[in-house]
Amino acid sequence: MATALCGVLITGCSNGGGGGGDAKPQAKPAAEPKPLTEDALRPLLLSQADLGTGYVQIQEKPDSGNFDDVSIQGCSALEKLGQSGDETMFAAKAETSFTYDTDATLGEELHSDRPSVLSSKLRGLFGAYTSCPTYTMTAGTTPIEVKVAKSATPELGDEQFAYTSTMDLPSGPQVLKTMAVLKGNVAVMLVGAPALVDRHMKTAVGKLPAGS
């Protein structure tokens, strides 16, 4: 602690000699970029033109509360996350989703905040989801067994996070991949069929402004 204070308060940390003329004040850390607004994020979302043929954008209201009856059992980290969901919220958010060939989906969320906040909260979020190899998700009265495994990530942006979840649904197993890439003050998160997430993440990150 004393060393850190000496770095800031040079004049108050003399080594006792008179020959301290070579000491130079440390540069002030650069200020973090401010979060973008939702209006600034929306043009950065993927579009049908970005994705190509076969994709249809889903028209829906964001945060419509469709998942209010979903609960988690068998994974304490996720249970705590659900109880304090506001801790994972960022300053601004924009989202969209698509179907592909009628039976596959791809959802995108853009989050913006200070880079240190994005990094810390994404680490916590993905750390919670990969902390338990299996857990039970109850949607209404239907329990669904979920298996989770960490996934490889591409060399994009400043930080990358990914996991794959397999849900044992009555209609059969469904595999979804969740991947996030942090670049400056924006994080791109894609959720959907693993092949679609892998295919379009580079395009999604490429739409972000160079200074973000």
Side-chain angles (χ1 to χ4, degrees), residues 6-198:
C6 286
V8 179
L9 306 175
I10 291 293
T11 57
C13 296
S14 170
N15 59 12
D22 292 336
K24 297 180 180 180
Q26 292 184 356
K28 184 178 180 180
E32 289 191 292
K34 295 181 179 179
L36 300 181
T37 64
E38 180 181 348
D39 288 341
L41 288 175
R42 289 204 167 279
L44 308 178
L45 289 167
L46 290 169
S47 67
Q48 288 175 277
D50 297 318
L51 299 175
T53 59
Y55 291 86
V56 177
Q57 189 169 16
I58 300 173
Q59 301 297 328
E60 59 183 358
K61 294 181 180 180
D63 301 326
S64 57
N66 293 335
F67 303 102
D68 290 345
D69 61 345
V70 175
S71 60
I72 302 294
Q73 299 86 36
C75 184
S76 59
L78 287 181
E79 291 176 34
K80 291 178 181 178
L81 189 67
Q83 293 168 1
S84 58
D86 288 344
E87 294 181 8
T88 63
M89 298 296 286
F90 300 104
K93 172 185 176 181
E95 61 183 320
T96 188
S97 57
F98 303 84
T99 58
Y100 178 68
D101 284 351
T102 71
D103 61 349
T105 61
L106 177 68
E108 180 187 21
E109 293 181 2
L110 293 179
H111 298 279
S112 187
D113 213 314
R114 290 181 292 113
S116 61
V117 174
L118 288 172
S119 178
S120 175
K121 290 189 175 183
L122 284 173
R123 285 179 180 275
L125 180 66
F126 278 78
Y129 270 96
T130 57
S131 64
C132 302
T134 61
Y135 65 87
T136 300
M137 177 175 67
T138 301
T141 59
T142 305
I144 300 171
E145 297 300 317
V146 183
K147 297 179 181 179
V148 179
K150 290 184 180 181
S151 300
T153 57
E155 292 295 326
L156 294 171
D158 303 320
E159 290 185 80
Q160 314 85 24
F161 311 86
Y163 66 86
T164 302
S165 54
T166 303
M167 294 177 285
D168 188 11
L169 301 174
S171 57
Q174 181 182 21
V175 181
L176 293 176
K177 187 169 188 175
T178 303
M179 184 186 296
V181 172
L182 167 60
K183 182 183 177 185
N185 61 350
V186 180
V188 181
M189 187 180 296
L190 295 184
V191 182
L196 301 186
V197 171
D198 292 339

